[in-house]
Amino acid sequence: MKMRNIAVIPARSGSKGLKDKNIREINGKPLMAYAIEAAQKSNLYDCIHVSTDSVRYAEIAREYGAEVPFLRNKELSSDLATTWDAMRFVLREYRNLGKDFDTITVLQPTSPLRDWRDVQKAFRLFQDKQADSVVGVCEMEHSPLWSNTLPEDHCLKGFIREEVNGPRQKLSEYYRLNGAIYILKAQFLLEYGNLYGENGYAYIMSKEHSIDIDDEFDFAIAEILMKKIF
């Protein structure tokens, strides 16, 4: 039987770092539009939903072809609520509407350079591994072994660990979560929700597709890259 898949774009309106960043225009479109279009072009989803607490955001989402049959409640729109609380709410609300899904893909609007090919490849990995979850990652710009805490007087004694001494090329590669793609079995999210367990896998993305917009600097970098890539 064919799996039923939902893509969810979480876009609450209460951003403090960059006001209204989820609908701020970049390269002529609101930020959330790129996530909606990536889901559409992947041809994987029976439903593309924008999870928001804002009537205005919902209207913009519908203009770009997303579904918003309900809004987030106030409790799930606070700074204390997690994205995963909101995603469980989405699955349960659709269930109440008579729609059940086998998988849920979360595409944050703040990763506008993630494209539909990334979504397809990550989903293929999810299927091939028969995974509970697949999460987007990218290689770190600098090894964390080159970083350390500082004492109050900022003395550098012992700052570089002994294992770092030697050619940089011999250091292990480190990866970080990039926030661009999360794919989970719906029932797994409802019951467990540990994305990083033994049946969770990393989908490695390029550095440029992993840009995550949190402030004005990130926005400027994304805008420059977008003009070169799109």
Side-chain angles (χ1 to χ4, degrees):
M1 191 168 69
K2 180 182 178 293
M3 286 196 304
R4 287 184 56 79
N5 309 311
I6 183 172
V8 183
I9 293 92
R12 71 185 182 97
S13 61
S15 171
K16 291 184 170 63
L18 197 59
K19 184 176 170 56
D20 281 330
K21 69 179 176 183
N22 290 322
I23 59 168
R24 182 167 169 175
E25 287 207 351
I26 182 168
N27 204 20
K29 295 178 189 174
L31 203 54
M32 72 163 71
Y34 292 94
I36 295 170
E37 289 175 353
Q40 290 169 335
K41 290 177 182 177
S42 74
N43 290 316
L44 289 168
Y45 299 104
D46 302 281
C47 175
I48 300 169
H49 174 83
V50 168
S51 172
T52 184
D53 57 324
S54 164
V55 172
R56 180 184 172 206
Y57 282 28
E59 289 172 352
I60 294 170
R62 292 185 189 108
E63 286 175 14
Y64 283 88
E67 296 182 31
V68 195
F70 50 83
L71 298 178
R72 282 196 206 186
N73 59 35
K74 189 175 290 187
E75 182 183 343
L76 291 173
S77 304
S78 72
D79 292 334
L80 298 177
T82 70
T83 297
W84 304 112
D85 290 333
M87 297 306 100
R88 291 184 189 96
F89 171 79
V90 167
L91 290 173
R92 290 181 182 122
E93 286 298 297
Y94 271 107
R95 184 171 287 176
N96 291 337
L97 294 173
K99 295 181 180 180
D100 265 314
F101 297 98
D102 300 294
T103 76
I104 178 170
T105 298
V106 180
L107 303 173
Q108 296 191 133
T110 49
S111 303
L113 282 94
R114 162 250 297 117
D115 70 11
W116 62 271
R117 296 173 192 86
D118 288 314
V119 179
Q120 281 191 344
K121 289 174 184 175
F123 202 90
R124 193 175 305 127
L125 175 66
F126 176 78
Q127 291 177 311
D128 290 346
K129 294 287 189 181
Q130 296 185 350
D132 290 328
S133 64
V134 162
V135 178
V137 304
C138 65
E139 188 176 348
M140 291 187 69
E141 291 79 2
H142 303 286
S143 171
L145 296 176
W146 288 96
S147 60
N148 209 332
T149 57
L150 283 171
E152 287 186 12
D153 65 356
H154 293 184
C155 177
L156 284 172
K157 182 181 178 182
F159 186 84
I160 299 297
R161 303 173 181 86
E162 286 186 15
E163 64 265 32
V164 181
N165 291 326
R168 186 174 62 180
Q169 292 78 6
K170 289 191 174 181
L171 294 176
S172 298
E173 292 178 345
Y174 280 79
Y175 296 85
R176 63 172 177 83
L177 304 176
N178 65 9
I181 299 174
Y182 299 87
I183 305 174
L184 300 93
K185 290 178 180 174
Q187 199 59 35
F188 176 79
L189 174 60
L190 289 169
E191 293 180 3
Y192 304 106
N194 179 11
L195 280 65
Y196 316 111
E198 61 184 30
N199 202 32
Y201 292 87
Y203 169 65
I204 301 172
M205 294 173 60
S206 67
K207 189 184 296 184
E208 61 269 21
H209 282 205
S210 297
I211 294 291
D212 183 23
I213 297 177
D214 192 47
D215 55 27
E216 289 287 355
F217 178 79
D218 298 333
F219 197 93
I221 295 296
E223 204 161 31
I224 291 166
L225 285 173
M226 192 168 278
K227 287 174 182 175
K228 290 188 174 184
I229 293 173
F230 287 93

